[in-house]
């Protein structure tokens, strides 16, 4: 199991690196590198809040009703 988790994390990191690199290259080429970094900063600020809210939601448990 641990090997699969490491592989999944590695693939995710590689994919985000490629996507981020391509995004930065496009922003740099168009002269909007500042907007790229603003988007990165917004993502860093908002993503933990959104994930925290989603993960701490009370789960709906299935209840068995008596007859």
């Amino acid at each position: 199991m641990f090997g699969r988790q490491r592989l999944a994390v590695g693939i995710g990191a590689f994919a985000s690196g490629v996507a981020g690199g391509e995004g930065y290259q496009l922003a740099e080429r168009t002269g909007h590198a500042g907007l790229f970094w603003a988007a990165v900063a917004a993502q860093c600020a908002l993503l933990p809040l959104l994930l925290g809210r989603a993960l701490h939601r009370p789960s709906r448990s299935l209840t068995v009703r008596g007859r």
Side-chain angles (χ1 to χ4, degrees):
M1 184 68 153
F2 183 69
R4 291 182 186 157
Q5 290 173 339
R6 286 184 67 187
L7 179 62
V9 168
I11 291 171
F14 174 74
S16 69
V18 169
E22 292 296 319
Y24 181 75
Q25 181 182 13
L26 177 65
E28 185 73 27
R29 209 175 330 143
T30 59
H32 294 96
L35 290 176
F36 174 83
W37 291 115
V40 169
Q43 201 176 43
C44 290
L46 295 176
L47 193 59
L49 297 173
L50 295 173
L51 284 176
R53 183 174 288 175
L55 294 175
H56 292 295
R57 256 189 216 161
S59 63
R60 292 184 181 182
S61 61
L62 297 175
T63 57
V64 178
R65 294 184 180 172
R67 294 181 186 197

